[in-house]
Structure formats: structure tokens, C-alpha cells
Amino acid sequence: MNQNKTVKKIDFDSIVEVVRVFAPATVANMICGFDILGFAVDYPGDEVIMHRVATPGVRIRSIAGDDGRLPLDADKNTVSACVQMLLEHLGVSTEVGVEIELIKHMPIGSGLGSSSASTVAGLFAINSLLGNPLTKEELLPFCVEGERLACGHGHADNVAPALMGGITLIRGQHPLDVIKLPVPEELYAGIVFPKVDVPTRDARQLIKEKVFLRDAVTQWGNIAGLIAGLYESDYGLISRSMHDVLIEPTRAILIPEFYTMKQIALDAGALSFGISGSGPSVVAISRGKETAENAANRIQQHLTDCEIDSFKYVSPVNIDGPKVI
Amino acid sequence: MNQNKTVKKIDFDSIVEVVRVFAPATVANMICGFDILGFAVDYPGDEVIMHRVATPGVRIRSIAGDDGRLPLDADKNTVSACVQMLLEHLGVSTEVGVEIELIKHMPIGSGLGSSSASTVAGLFAINSLLGNPLTKEELLPFCVEGERLACGHGHADNVAPALMGGITLIRGQHPLDVIKLPVPEELYAGIVFPKVDVPTRDARQLIKEKVFLRDAVTQWGNIAGLIAGLYESDYGLISRSMHDVLIEPTRAILIPEFYTMKQIALDAGALSFGISGSGPSVVAISRGKETAENAANRIQQHLTDCEIDSFKYVSPVNIDGPKVI
């Protein structure tokens, strides 16, 4: 019934020949909000160029920027698998054919929502190609499913901000309840990715199943303070609130020089510093671009001194999510 | 140094002869925000009438409405002990004499912040009598100390909303960081106090020291949703967010007919239903007075059918906190 209803929306004559979509990287957790908060950044992000072709089906034409790590087989690649899933949902999988060029602008396994950015770019692209039969809200469950295919963990903490833009709150998972939070104008992220491997699965497995209630109370006091701080654009409150007493102590073990980097960021004037998603990327959340730049530069310099290679990104919070470019 | 600085503010000639102060009852936790959220109500509340007398020191003249349960001995009574503490802090304890009439309008041990209302009324009264040498923010630590004297647990979740009014967030305890949250206009509380004994200490001891992280994530997703809902005046989001998966299942055991009352409240259209503080009072948080009344009436009727006596209070969220009347 759902399929029939949606198929009607698609005007086959108006399907465009090609779209090029950019979808942003994301910082899940936003320091204190494990599994519920996340924000998108303007840079980096992934691109999908999607071509309409005569032969029905979904194929990967090329992947760039992945060092050959991602499968070109359309059944195994998350992006194409999601696009296929959406075409089936819309009831047009036997009629529509597309080929995908995927251009990755960020490293895989960096803790910046790499797979989410690609999935969101792919789904946003096919939706655009078909004349936007689905709203962003309707696309979201498909993005979550893509995350499940990619990470074995169907979570929205990266795909929600990547798709919706801005800062998102996942109030609940079942059913999915995502709320867009206000973005204080001067909020910047200074991100540094130390080139070490921290697979998401390992980072999750380190986390203990049970926590002290008193620590949970500290954590949710901070989460509540952060939400209020975002609504009030109160940078002092935002800074006081962005502390993670539960997850960071465990995950920081996997990240070289974590506590030194933290001190460097805070000394440089960052509002807060912590792990982006499951790491190893770290983020200095700052008021103003200059502070974010400064923090990121000093952190990168320290890593260089320690002979650890790194990438650095400085960006405001991305407001709009994916876009056709 | 602090004392000298503050003494100067007090103009002994302008100390008034008598003040009468009302301080509101409070609903701690606000369903999902254990130990961090709370709100004040217009009714019930406690009153303190404070008389200036010639002989220095603090004495209790009378207590009404306590069924003889509270000590008249000024050293043992929390209200007088707090007033004495403030006079000492201000460096005027050997010069100022007061006598206190305490009028309690709510039952002790009801889960409505009974001791907090009295403490806040007493401290607000002495501060008013002395020409307000301290701000509300400066009074707060004395109120917390009063709560420690009364309950053996120096917590701000009742005194903060009783003193500040409105809905308060205790972001952190050490140092104390209290934030006033916005109050959606149509928010009402339908409160029912079943006359059964649930000492706060017992209610706290029932709570487990450790919780599942996945439950904590559910809880803080709801807390974050509630804060956003308050800022947005989004009653749907407020309703979806006010669920307590951690504390209620344990404490509800101590409250007769809890789950039946919950069903009655939700059937009557309440946004949410739960325990006020450590109980046994329960609260149907509602949009509009009529719904709150309706829920409270039906709950009370059910308790009557079960031969359980109860009190009922219906009130909007109190905005101003204590006031001179």
C-alpha cells in the first residue's frame, strides 16, 4: 500500500540525467551526549555523482579517495545497497537504472561518520534524481538501515545530523524521534584525525554494560545543560556542560596523546574537547573560527612532534545537511 | 572578610518588625530528570511569619499543620537552624533576634518538598527582614545546607525550584550550577498525595547503585527531549520525553495503585504521570488546568474506592518562588 502510494509521486519523464550531491561529515555524541547527540560540519564530506542509465539496477561506476578499501560490487557496497533498497521501497527498482561515482573526502574509520556521509549522499542523490518523492524525515530510516549495513549497528547518531544538518538530538530509537536543536552562530569545530586505527566495533566493545547511577546523573545534568546552552546561545553554559564522565575515560585509552591534546585545546581557549564519535578523531569545540583553528593547529603540531601523522579540519556547524552541487 | 563585606549592607534601622513569607511546594525529578530537574507549584506551600525581637537569637514561637511532628527546639528545627546559620554568616547573630511562626500547608513526607518549602520560607524571610543583603543565588547554598540538616542529603532538587521558582535544572552539584528553564504557559500539575508513609531515606535506598548504560541512554535522551520541549513549548515532545525507565520501576513498588493511577491519568489526557520526588505523591503533568483537574479527580476517586485517603492539589507551575505576603 505504501509502495503504491509513493510510486504515484514519481514522474518518470522528469527524472534528471545526473545529480551531484555533497553530504557532510558528522561529530557524533558532541562530547557528553553518547548515542543521542551529533552535529554536521561543512567540511569534510563525501560526494556522490549519480547517473541515470537505461539498464535497470544500481551499479558502482567508481570510488575515489578510499585507498581501494570499499567494494565496487553493488550488492556489497553500502551506498548502492541503500539506493537499491529505496528503489524497491518506491516500487521502481525494475524500471530505474543508476550508476554511482563515489568520491570520499575523508578517511574511513576516522570517527567522522564516513560511512554515514556516503550513505546520506547516495540516498539524497537518488531521491533528488527521482524528483524528491520522500521528505528528509522519510529518508532517515533508510539512512539508519545503511548504517546498520556498514557498521553492524543501526544507529542514527551520525546519519541524523548528516541528513538533517545542524545539531540533532535522537530522543528515542524505537520509534526513531529526531529533534533539530538550535545552532549558536559562533560554534566551530577544530577536528584532528590522528592516523591510527580504531574500529568502531572495538571502541563500542570497550564500553561497560553497567555504569554508576551517580555518574549517569552527572552525565545527564551535563546533557541537559548543553541543550539549554544551545537554546540560550550561552557559551559559558555550553562549555561547563560538555564533559563526558562515562565514555571518554574508556575510549581515550585507544587514542594516543589524548589527555595532552585535551590540555592543549583547553589552553588554546576551546569550550570543550573530546572524542568525535568512537574516535580516533578528536574535536575542539570552540567559540569562533580563530580559536578552533588555533586549537587544531597546536594539537596537530603536538602530534607531529610525537611523529603521528594527522589530518585537520576546521568548520562551523553545517546547517543544511546534504546538498546538490 | 566575607562577613565584614556583607555586614555593611545591613542597615539596622531599616530592619522591619515582621515579615510573612510563602514558599512553594515542589515536584522534584519532573518524571524523567532524577536528581537534576524540579518545578515549583503555586499551591500548596509553607508559610513563615518572622518577628523581630529585642533579645538576640532565633526561636520558634509556634508550628501549625505538622501534627506535632516537628521540633520546637530552635537548635533541632531545620528552619531556625538555617536562619541562625545565615545570621552567623552575615556576622549579626549576636545583634539580631527573631521569633518564627511556621505554618505548614502540606503534609510532611509527602514527596512535595515539605522541608524545602519551610527552609526556603525561613531563609527568604530573614533575608527580607534584613533588607535583602543576599541575592537568591547567594541564598541557595544555605537552602541546600538546610536540606542536608532535614534529610541527611544536601541536595538542591527541591530547594532550587522552591527558591528560584519555575522549572530548574541542577546541571552540577559541585560547584552548584542551577539554570532556570522556560515554563510553557499551559503546563499544569495534578498532584495526588496518597496518605501512606514513604520516608525519603528508604526511597533512596531502594535505588540501585549501578544501571545499564542502555537504560541511561534512554533516560538522557528523554531528559534532552524534555529540555528541548520546554524551550519550544512543544507539548507533544514534552509528553514523549517524560518517561522514567530507571527510578520509577523501583520506587513505584512503595506506592499503592501506582500503575492503575498512571493509566487513569493518561486516559484522562495527561501529558505524563509519575512520582513526585521520592513519593508517595504522584503527579499528572498536563496541558491546561481542566485536564490536570480531571486526572487528579479520577485518581483520587480511585484511591477512595480502594479505601486510601488522599489530598489533591491542582496548580500551574509557580513562576516566582517565595514571596512576601
Side-chain angles (χ1 to χ4, degrees), chain B residues 255-270:
Chain B
I255 299 168
E257 298 298 309
F258 181 82
Y259 291 102
T260 306
M261 292 193 286
K262 185 170 196 165
Q263 197 55 54
I264 290 169
L266 298 178
D267 288 348

Side-chain angles (χ1 to χ4, degrees), chain A residues 32-36 169-171 177 179-182 207-214 216-225 227-228 231-232 237 240-241 243 246-247, chain B residues 32-36 169-171 177 179-182 207-214 216-225 227-228 231-232 237 240-241 243 246-247:
Chain A
C32 58
F34 178 69
D35 268 5
I36 66 161
L169 159 65
I170 300 158
R171 188 203 59 78
D177 190 2
I179 294 113
K180 275 197 84 167
L181 297 172
I207 296 170
K208 296 193 183 78
E209 221 186 3
K210 281 194 157 189
V211 297
F212 282 106
L213 176 60
R214 62 169 179 274
V217 170
T218 302
Q219 194 90 355
W220 65 57
N222 282 329
I223 289 169
I227 308 291
Y231 273 96
E232 304 277 358
L237 178 54
R240 297 199 301 283
S241 301
H243 298 282
L246 284 177
I247 313 300
Chain B
C32 58
F34 177 68
D35 268 5
I36 67 161
L169 160 65
I170 301 157
R171 188 203 59 79
D177 189 2
I179 294 112
K180 277 197 83 166
L181 298 172
I207 296 170
K208 296 192 183 77
E209 220 185 2
K210 282 194 157 189
V211 298
F212 282 105
L213 176 61
R214 63 169 178 271
V217 169
T218 301
Q219 194 89 355
W220 66 55
N222 282 328
I223 289 169
I227 308 291
Y231 274 96
E232 304 277 358
L237 178 54
R240 296 200 301 281
S241 300
H243 298 282
L246 283 178
I247 313 298

